[in-house]
Amino acid sequence: MNFELTEERQMLQDTLRRYLREKYTTAVRNDILTSDAGLSADIWAELAELGVLGALFTEEMGGFGGAGFDLAVVFEELGRAGVVEPVLDSALMGGRLLAAAGKSDMVEQVIAGTLHLAVAHGEPGGRYDMDYVHTKADGGVLTGRKAVVMNAEAADHLIVSARDGDAIALYLVAKDAKGVDIQGYPLLAGGRAGEVTFDNTPAEPLGLSLSDLQAATNLALVAISAEALGAMESATHLTKDYLMTRTQFGRPIGTFQALAHRMADLLIELEQARSAVINAAGYLEAPDADLHLSATKNLIGRIGRLVAEESIQMHGGIAMTQEYELAHIAKRIVMADHRFGDTDYHLERFIALSAA
Amino acid sequence: MDMSFTDDELAFQSEVREFLRDELPSEIVDKVAKGIELGKDEVERWHAILNARGWLAPNWPKSFGGGEWNAVQRHIFDTEAAAANAPRIVPFGLSMLGPVLQKFGSKEQQDHWLPRILDGSDWWCQGYSEPGAGSDLASLKTRAVRDGDHYVVNGQKTWTTLGQHANMIFCLVRTDPDVKQQEGISFLLIDMNTPGIEVRPIILLDGSDEVNEVWFTDVRVPVENLVGEENKGWTYAKYLLTHERANIAGVGFSQAGLAAVKRMARAENHNGKPLIENPHFAARVAQVDIDLRAMATSNLRIISKAAAGGAPGLEASMLKVKGSIIRQEINDLARRVAGPYAMPFASEALEGANDTIPDPLGAGPVAAQYFNNRKLSIFGGSNEIQRGIIAKVTMSGGRA
Ligand SMILES: Cc1cc2nc3c(=O)[nH]c(=O)nc-3n(C[C@H](O)[C@H](O)[C@H](O)COP(=O)(O)OP(=O)(O)OC[C@H]3O[C@@H](n4cnc5c(N)ncnc54)[C@H](O)[C@@H]3O)c2cc1C
């Protein structure tokens, strides 16, 4: 057992943390939030240059990481800074699916930051159910509708799940292909998504099935949990600082036991969250990975809500304002519960897997 | 003990239902149902409709043009209005300033300002909080210095709800800096159009612009706008803060919110079944439902005691804490039901011309409301402050 990061990962963490602290300030981020694109091309290029995107892929894929702990390191830092650029959807999920399909030239472009992807899987009415797919594949063309597709507008290619007979398979669709329609919109916690429809759209089969998508979703579960953890660390940190500096009734509010004990609870729960993310990253390749991932996502959902709500409450009015850092961070934390299955979804899945 | 409504109360209930059915404009209902902020004109329209019926100021004495409703009547109205998705009454003139003027204002002030509150001539906002004076309100610094027949006001108020619509603000100001904090505060009525006043919006975390900063630079206020006596403002402020309690628990809003959650959860699919049939989700809903049923009775119990002349400061604090927790829990359920569709959101500032926000459940911006309603446990005396009052009153025998 050794809970220290390897030297390479430690360096990656330090570099990324320093870069984001200097470059991804609240003001810069708030500009990105209100921009039409919802993401910064400059930041994206710099993340590629720093090797952040490459760290999401194994050496065989052309990267220099790709394991659970590499993802955890990267996404924890992205979460800490409240980064809205679609590293998770475009680079990690999209890139790793293309890697699984053997599209090494495209993966190379993903790592270089020159290719954007979107994964179009969920459908209206499907909630978080993985096999709810009504989009049809028939003779090389796709027809159907996908819900809340992250990064759909910025993507050069979409990876789309569709049913060919009984089997669900994945297809590659060029964004400007015939019959693709994207209705884009902003998201509460930053970034953009869209409702995407395909009407007899030409598509290339990737030779991947639902189980490949499940594997990519497992990577995403590690990433989103680590991201929420990083954001929780920020929230807790901001709250601790505020409790020590804000005075009311002639003393710092952190000296009121009613707040001090709750701050202590947040710190206790944060350690739980950290361990849960370590479990997810460490057991990612284990035979019972699904059980661990559901455990982590459920715990992160519960603790995330607590941290977001308590941080706002203990700040008072200031935390309700858009320009205060915590507002965005709290939104990132809570909205992470709406991705890849929420607290209840993973509770149920954990129960089912434990019984098995 | 008798839990049933009397014949008179039942008759009143049908009267209220009929009124809401006939008079409440459907465009307003649509917005309220989806939690979309109303414009100034829409609020004024609803106030005018209520005023025409004599129902705008149910808590005021008849002598001032009010309804003098008892606790049960108010409960019935609040519940029915929330169920019908009627907008919240903007409370600053009607529930806050009105009662203060009725108790402490001069005859001239009553005659001038009270009718104007009812007919909508004035839109009031509340200038209590300052950047350095939130929970510790008595530490407020905005200064008013007497100069002939005027006060000259300098300082800053903040969190001023709907100040952008207001033409009048009632303020707590410091008139004597040399005495105990609570004894140097006065209660002033200030025209927002006086030179030296600047209103700046504060954008909240959901992009809404419901609160403001209000800056005062050498603002001259006629002395006749002082309410009561100089340096007695703290007494009036406390009277105001504890006066409005009939709707402090927001039971009607919670009932309407929970009904909406259930409706949405029947429409939402989870593994081929309605989400409402999912045991985990159903348990969450049931838990809140159970709490809310008890809360509704607590609310009635407590407000009927107030109507009978009790002084329920302690109970008002209890209603505020539990009521806000239940409302926030319902907001949390609503965002859960929406699933992935809780994420899309555009405040007007962010909304591009071509953006359409998908809303398959007709739920409105549930996640934004979840965040916006975090305010319920912060403003009007935070839940920590309320708990402090409850503890102090019960354990030291002291008064709040
Ligand atoms: C949306 C919104 C609308 C508002 N509208 C108005 C308005 O129209 N007019 C107006 O005058 N004000 C308004 N307010 C201000 C509101 O009343 C204050 O936010 C509230 O009094 C809390 O003050 P604060 O935000 O400065 O927090 P602080 O007082 O700084 O409190 C920070 C934290 O410390 C806690 N705390 C403080 N003292 C103690 C203690 N002794 N023991 C334990 N915990 C403590 C608080 O509970 C809170 O958790 C509004 C606020 C909001 C958010």
Side-chain angles (χ1 to χ4, degrees), chain A residues 242 246 248-249 253 256 258-259 313-318 320, chain B residues 92 126-131 133-136 158-161 204 210-211 375 378-385:
Chain A
Y242 196 74
R246 169 72 169 172
Q248 287 288 276
F249 304 99
I253 56 175
F256 295 118
L259 302 186
Q313 182 65 27
M314 290 197 277
H315 270 82
I318 182 79
M320 296 287 301
Chain B
F92 306 110
Q126 179 188 22
Y128 274 27
S129 304
E130 298 180 3
S135 299
D136 184 11
T158 191
W159 306 121
T160 320
T161 299
L204 292 186
E210 63 189 57
V211 291
K375 71 189 175 191
I378 295 173
F379 65 19
S382 72
N383 282 10
E384 288 73 32
I385 294 300

Side-chain angles (χ1 to χ4, degrees), chain A residues 40 52 59 90 93 114 117 237 256 311:
Chain A
S40 158
V52 173
E59 277 173 33
S90 182
M93 275 194 96
T114 54
L117 300 167
H237 195 78
F256 295 118
S311 296

Side-chain angles (χ1 to χ4, degrees), chain A residues 103-168:
Chain A
K103 296 258 174 207
S104 45
D105 46 340
M106 290 180 94
V107 174
E108 204 175 300
Q109 294 175 52
V110 169
I111 293 174
T114 54
L115 183 72
H116 259 298
L117 300 167
V119 179
H121 174 55
E123 299 188 3
R127 202 169 168 79
Y128 304 115
D129 306 344
M130 278 299 283
D131 54 3
Y132 188 96
V133 174
H134 291 128
T135 299
K136 285 233 157 6
D138 192 4
V141 300
L142 304 184
T143 299
R145 177 171 164 198
K146 296 292 181 177
V148 201
V149 179
M150 298 287 162
N151 201 38
E153 297 155 302
D156 306 293
H157 286 86
L158 298 123
I159 297 165
V160 187
S161 59
R163 237 174 234 286
D164 188 357
D166 276 346
I168 296 171

Side-chain angles (χ1 to χ4, degrees), chain B residues 114-396:
Chain B
L114 294 176
R116 293 172 61 86
I117 292 175
L118 290 179
D119 70 15
S121 305
D122 295 323
W123 183 306
W124 287 90
C125 62
Q126 179 188 22
Y128 274 27
S129 304
E130 298 180 3
S135 299
D136 184 11
L137 185 59
S139 70
L140 61 94
K141 290 201 169 68
T142 296
R143 189 80 168 89
V145 178
R146 182 77 183 254
D147 176 25
D149 52 6
H150 282 79
Y151 286 100
V152 180
V153 178
N154 280 286
Q156 187 203 341
K157 295 292 174 184
T158 191
W159 306 121
T160 320
T161 299
L162 301 182
Q164 72 269 35
H165 299 329
N167 65 315
M168 292 297 298
I169 181 169
F170 56 89
C171 282
L172 293 181
V173 293
R174 185 154 304 284
T175 33
D176 187 346
D178 299 323
V179 292
K180 195 169 161 252
Q181 279 182 340
Q182 286 81 352
E183 289 162 11
I185 293 171
S186 298
F187 195 108
L188 275 189
L189 312 178
I190 305 180
D191 185 334
M192 299 278 281
N193 294 312
T194 321
I197 295 184
E198 195 194 332
V199 179
R200 297 182 198 160
I202 299 175
I203 306 299
L204 292 186
L205 78 180
D206 59 337
S208 65
D209 58 354
E210 63 189 57
V211 291
N212 302 271
E213 296 177 324
V214 183
W215 300 72
F216 299 84
T217 315
D218 294 331
V219 174
R220 296 184 70 80
V221 181
V223 285
E224 60 262 28
N225 282 12
L226 174 75
V227 174
E229 290 174 50
E230 197 177 89
N231 296 327
K232 289 278 163 62
W234 189 248
T235 311
Y236 316 147
K238 280 194 11 192
Y239 177 78
L240 178 157
L241 280 179
T242 55
H243 188 82
E244 171 61 12
R245 51 179 59 115
N247 207 8
I248 197 170
V251 169
F253 296 121
S254 285
Q255 289 169 337
L258 192 60
V261 164
K262 289 181 184 173
R263 179 187 60 70
M264 284 155 50
R266 279 192 288 273
E268 175 77 355
N269 163 58
H270 173 58
N271 278 336
K273 282 192 199 147
L275 179 62
I276 195 85
E277 291 172 20
N278 175 265
H280 302 290
F281 190 77
R284 285 186 189 276
V285 173
Q287 220 69 89
V288 178
D289 200 343
I290 289 165
D291 286 350
L292 181 54
R293 283 160 197 268
M295 171 95 238
T297 297
S298 300
N299 189 50
L300 263 175
R301 256 191 321 124
I302 290 168
I303 61 177
S304 51
K305 194 159 119 194
L314 176 72
E315 289 89 340
S317 292
M318 292 180 169
L319 289 177
K320 167 93 201 307
V321 172
K322 197 69 199 173
S324 61
I325 290 172
I326 290 176
R327 279 181 74 185
Q328 290 173 335
E329 199 61 37
I330 292 168
N331 284 123
D332 182 69
L333 290 175
R335 71 145 178 104
R336 283 176 200 278
V337 181
Y341 278 113
M343 293 187 282
F345 175 73
S347 67
E348 261 158 49
L350 281 177
E351 203 162 354
N354 300 319
D355 291 340
T356 10
I357 302 299
D359 182 13
L361 297 174
V366 280
Q369 283 159 31
Y370 160 85
F371 283 107
N372 184 283
N373 267 347
R374 300 316 303 169
K375 71 189 175 191
L376 297 176
S377 48
I378 295 173
F379 65 19
S382 72
N383 282 10
E384 288 73 32
I385 294 300
Q386 305 295 347
R387 289 187 183 101
I389 292 170
I390 295 165
K392 190 167 155 193
V393 170
T394 47
M395 289 191 283
S396 70

Side-chain angles (χ1 to χ4, degrees), chain B residues 4 21 30 68 87 89 101 104 109 121 124 132 226 249 279 334 385:
Chain B
S4 51
R21 192 194 57 216
D30 289 345
E68 240 176 77
I89 303 297
L101 288 179
F104 303 107
Q109 286 171 335
S121 305
W124 287 90
L226 174 75
I385 294 300

